[in-house]
Amino acid sequence: MEPPKLNRTVNAEVGADRRLATSGTSSQDSDRHKALIDQVNEEGYVVLHNAFSQSEINEAKDEILRLSKQQQADEKSRAGTSEGGRGRNTFEGINTERIYALANKSRVFDKFALHPDVLALNDHFLERGYLLNSFQSINIKPGEKPQTLHFDDGYITVPRPHTPFGAVRQSLLLSQPAYSYPRTTYTSWQAIMVAVDSYTSTNGATVIVPRSHTWGADRLPDRSEAVHVEMPAGSMFYFLSTLWHGGGANTSSRDRVALTVQYCQPWIRQLENQMIAVEWDKLDDMPPRLVDMLGYKVGAPFIGHVNGHSPRVAVSHMLRKRQREGRDGMIKTDPRL
């Protein structure tokens, strides 16, 4: 679908095409990414085997363990008791421990949000300037019950399938990828699950309903239609926000640790408020692409600007003001400062 002339004109006039441009991929990568995209269009998901090395997975698992101990100690300090990493509701899992806002807590996890294959898929399915929606670890412990089947963008009150998003997506695309063919799937965000522990049918592996991303609002899944995504540690699967899925029951005797990274359209409010969750003085140590995805790059045509500039510029000014004024003045109301 050809973008409306007005959108192309406005984006060009305000410099959005230049600002949001991403680097291209080789022809070999383009062919491989096209195959991945074809499978996602067909099934609603794709598994990427051995996406990360064993050493990278071990490093992540050690960091999750460290953060878990710290989180439990903090909970005990606040409440006087520790519930041992129990969840806060049945949907997220009572016997499931989640560590939120990983972008703020360790640079070990950056690579998992920036895998080249995932970015290539996002560049196809999402608009330029897409955002980091949520970044957390999920530890499904023994005895956890199966999660309610759901699709991730269910709170968006647009009838399924989301064909209206397709016109918007096409109209805001600023340049086509190296391969060009019609987008057949329209969603508002995507997600990946990274297996820190191997996914098995008994330890809480995510279950999915293949091809359910194309269903309308009148079609609900039966749990018998769901299949486990089984994959070894270091693998990940990428799926669309309209795919019916849920966490599996953990009937084993061992924890099942995973990372989940979610990405959303640049005009959707993020599940995690990344610009508050990530401390400003850590931004310089982060990969620039990840900082952009937190919300610090102005979208098309100028979504998210601050006084006509990027939020990153505004934050830099505020940090310099803090350095000049110490902890006095207007910005002392921010508890992080």
Side-chain angles (χ1 to χ4, degrees):
M1 181 183 298
E2 182 69 14
K5 182 177 180 180
L6 175 60
N7 293 60
R8 298 198 309 271
T9 301
V10 171
N11 286 338
E13 288 184 0
V14 302
D17 48 356
R18 180 182 66 257
R19 186 172 65 248
L20 298 174
T22 56
S23 58
T25 58
S26 67
S27 58
Q28 182 178 1
D29 283 341
S30 295
D31 291 341
R32 186 167 57 85
H33 292 155
K34 181 182 183 302
L36 297 177
I37 289 167
D38 287 342
Q39 181 169 343
V40 174
N41 276 326
E42 183 73 15
E43 300 290 337
Y45 76 101
V46 65
V47 177
L48 301 168
H49 292 282
N50 303 313
F52 300 99
S53 69
Q54 189 60 53
S55 62
E56 290 173 322
I57 291 299
N58 291 342
E59 181 184 38
K61 193 165 188 176
D62 289 344
E63 193 71 343
I64 291 169
L65 178 61
R66 180 187 71 80
L67 292 171
S68 173
K69 291 179 178 178
Q70 178 181 315
Q71 181 167 281
Q72 292 180 39
D74 291 344
E75 290 172 355
K76 184 175 182 180
S77 175
R78 288 194 301 267
T81 60
S82 174
E83 296 185 349
R86 287 172 62 84
R88 57 182 183 168
N89 56 63
T90 55
F91 181 76
E92 291 185 298
I94 297 299
N95 291 321
T96 297
E97 181 183 22
R98 295 172 183 258
I99 302 175
Y100 303 102
L102 291 182
N104 185 58
K105 293 173 179 172
S106 175
R107 303 278 59 83
V108 165
F109 303 113
D110 292 346
K111 66 180 74 70
F112 298 101
L114 298 171
H115 192 282
D117 289 344
V118 172
L119 297 184
L121 288 166
N122 285 345
D123 287 344
H124 177 82
F125 287 106
L126 295 173
E127 295 166 18
R128 300 294 191 252
Y130 56 81
L131 302 173
L132 185 70
N133 197 22
S134 178
F135 194 2
Q136 58 184 272
S137 66
I138 303 176
N139 181 2
I140 297 182
K141 298 174 179 292
E144 183 60 273
K145 298 177 181 180
Q147 186 183 38
T148 299
L149 293 177
H150 62 284
F151 54 95
D152 282 342
D153 67 359
Y155 75 87
I156 296 177
T157 55
V158 176
R160 290 172 57 100
H162 297 315
T163 48
F165 292 167
V168 174
R169 175 177 294 107
Q170 291 284 355
S171 67
L172 291 181
L173 275 176
L174 305 173
S175 61
Q176 293 296 324
Y179 42 87
S180 180
Y181 51 92
R183 284 167 169 76
T184 58
T185 303
Y186 307 111
T187 63
S188 51
W189 74 68
Q190 333 305 344
I192 61 170
M193 298 291 297
V194 179
V196 178
D197 290 320
S198 294
Y199 271 39
T200 73
S201 61
T202 61
N203 75 349
T206 303
V207 299
I208 59 170
V209 182
R211 305 191 178 193
S212 60
H213 62 299
T214 63
W215 293 357
D218 58 341
R219 177 77 162 89
L220 300 177
D222 185 273
R223 189 163 285 274
S224 64
E225 298 177 274
V227 297
H228 289 94
V229 178
E230 298 186 68
M231 57 184 179
S235 300
M236 64 179 171
F237 78 97
Y238 179 100
F239 63 101
L240 302 177
S241 63
T242 46
L243 185 77
W244 284 89
H245 68 283
N250 189 346
T251 60
S252 75
S253 60
R254 302 175 66 87
D255 292 359
R256 190 232 68 187
V257 179
L259 298 172
T260 180
V261 192
Q262 298 185 15
Y263 310 85
C264 67
Q265 298 286 20
W267 36 266
I268 288 178
R269 185 176 184 182
Q270 295 146 286
L271 287 180
E272 288 186 312
N273 191 323
Q274 303 290 350
M275 297 175 78
I276 298 296
V278 179
E279 298 166 46
W280 294 343
D281 55 5
K282 295 181 179 180
L283 297 178
D284 286 342
D285 298 326
M286 298 175 65
R289 182 76 186 271
L290 188 58
V291 174
D292 290 346
M293 287 194 289
L294 298 179
Y296 285 98
K297 174 169 278 191
V298 177
F302 19 65
I303 294 175
H305 76 84
V306 179
N307 290 322
H309 300 284
S310 77
R312 188 72 180 90
V313 171
V315 165
S316 296
H317 288 329
M318 285 186 278
L319 287 174
R320 286 197 294 271
K321 183 175 182 180
R322 183 183 71 174
Q323 292 173 349
R324 291 195 305 269
E325 299 180 357
R327 293 186 178 273
D328 297 323
M330 293 175 57
I331 59 174
K332 69 180 181 181
T333 57
D334 186 339
R336 299 173 307 160
L337 304 178

